Amino acid sequence: QQQVKQSPQSLIVQKGGISIINCAYENTAFDYFPWYQQFPGKGPALLIAIRPDVSEKKEGRFTISFNKSAKQFSLHIMDSQPGDSATYFCAASLPGGYNKLIFGAGTRLAVHP
Amino acid sequence: KAGVTQTPRYLIKTRGQQVTLSCSPISGHRSVSWYQQTPGQGLQFLFEYFSETQRNKGNFPGRFSGRQFSNSRSEMNVSTLELGDSALYLCASSYRLAANPSTDTQYFGPGTRLTVL
């Protein structure tokens, strides 16, 4: 019930292509869904986040699509660049969670020139 | 504005020892959370502090403890280290006006890499 399942585990995309990473959850009480980007040797950095009252949120080349009925959300990276090569984590938290984030297992993205 | 800082960045300890890790949040941030990151278990929540009070705790044994000081700086302690405690320990801070239980945007530090031999 507390898990967030992320797929794929790894992804290879050509420069200029679209990268798509998916996450699924069971607990319908989750009310906050952020995506984090992590480069080797660094801590995760917030990319974009969404709450369940919105079906889509876009910030630059990054878009979150949220499907409440399917209990799924995804990250789309448009015009992927080699600099986007990193590990991406989806996460979720409960209301009253006091900042406790439940993370997916991560997706290692490699963007080839 | 300076980001979240964690010290030390790297640490090597032996089984049975104890260790203390330090975290300085972004100026003005009053909430500090700690996470453990390992290749096998991924990112797991340890605990969260706000105004020197622990408000939430993950599923870790009592060997893992933490505290927060009046300046919002936080420390976490692991006693009787085990090989499985080898991990990257991440601290995250967030801005919060009041002690409400919702989730804020969290900003992570670079982590402390702990190796237990």
Side-chain angles (χ1 to χ4, degrees):
Chain A
Q1 276 278 324
Q2 292 280 337
Q3 281 187 322
V4 177
K5 293 183 180 178
Q6 185 171 346
S7 62
Q9 196 172 16
S10 62
L11 182 62
I12 298 174
V13 171
Q14 292 299 121
K15 179 182 174 182
I18 302 173
S19 303
I20 302 174
I21 304 170
N22 301 299
C23 283
Y25 62 96
E26 287 297 321
N27 193 337
T28 55
F30 285 141
D31 73 340
Y32 176 69
F33 302 88
W35 284 91
Y36 280 84
Q37 178 190 57
Q38 187 177 28
F39 292 104
K42 305 283 187 182
L46 179 69
L47 265 180
I48 187 171
I50 199 167
R51 299 216 181 244
D53 52 345
V54 176
S55 61
E56 186 175 279
K57 184 174 180 181
K58 186 175 180 179
E59 287 185 5
R61 296 184 295 109
F62 301 94
T63 300
I64 296 181
S65 295
F66 187 82
N67 187 330
K68 194 172 180 177
S69 59
K71 292 183 283 186
Q72 295 176 346
F73 58 110
S74 60
L75 176 70
H76 291 62
I77 306 174
M78 312 300 286
D79 187 27
S80 298
Q81 299 296 314
D84 297 329
S85 298
T87 301
Y88 292 81
F89 294 94
C90 63
S93 70
L94 293 166
Y98 293 107
N99 280 349
K100 175 182 178 178
L101 289 173
I102 297 160
F103 282 89
T107 296
R108 187 170 293 184
L109 172 66
V111 181
H112 290 179
Chain B
K1 207 180 235 188
V4 177
T5 57
Q6 293 187 245
T7 56
R9 291 293 313 278
Y10 302 91
L11 207 47
I12 299 175
K13 292 286 188 179
T14 56
R15 277 183 302 173
Q17 287 187 310
Q18 76 165 23
V19 67
T20 299
L21 311 181
S22 181
C23 171
S24 293
I26 292 170
S27 177
H29 285 194
R30 296 168 65 188
S31 168
V32 173
S33 302
W34 288 89
Y35 291 82
Q36 181 195 63
Q37 185 174 24
T38 60
Q41 300 298 316
L43 280 150
Q44 292 187 287
F45 174 82
L46 280 156
F47 25 65
E48 191 259 3
Y49 287 88
F50 176 80
S51 288
E52 302 177 66
T53 301
Q54 185 184 91
R55 301 188 304 165
N56 203 353
K57 192 176 188 305
N59 294 327
F60 280 83
R63 299 185 297 106
F64 292 82
S65 62
R67 59 178 176 167
Q68 186 181 34
F69 302 95
S70 58
N71 62 359
S72 295
R73 193 177 67 84
S74 176
E75 288 181 348
M76 68 162 280
N77 183 277
V78 188
S79 62
T80 319
L81 284 166
E82 300 176 359
L83 295 177
D85 297 334
S86 294
L88 180 67
Y89 290 89
L90 292 158
C91 166
S93 75
S94 70
Y95 178 76
R96 187 175 287 279
L97 281 173
N100 74 68
S102 65
T103 298
D104 296 318
T105 298
Q106 295 182 64
Y107 298 88
F108 283 82
T112 294
R113 172 75 60 187
L114 172 65
T115 301
V116 182
L117 302 176

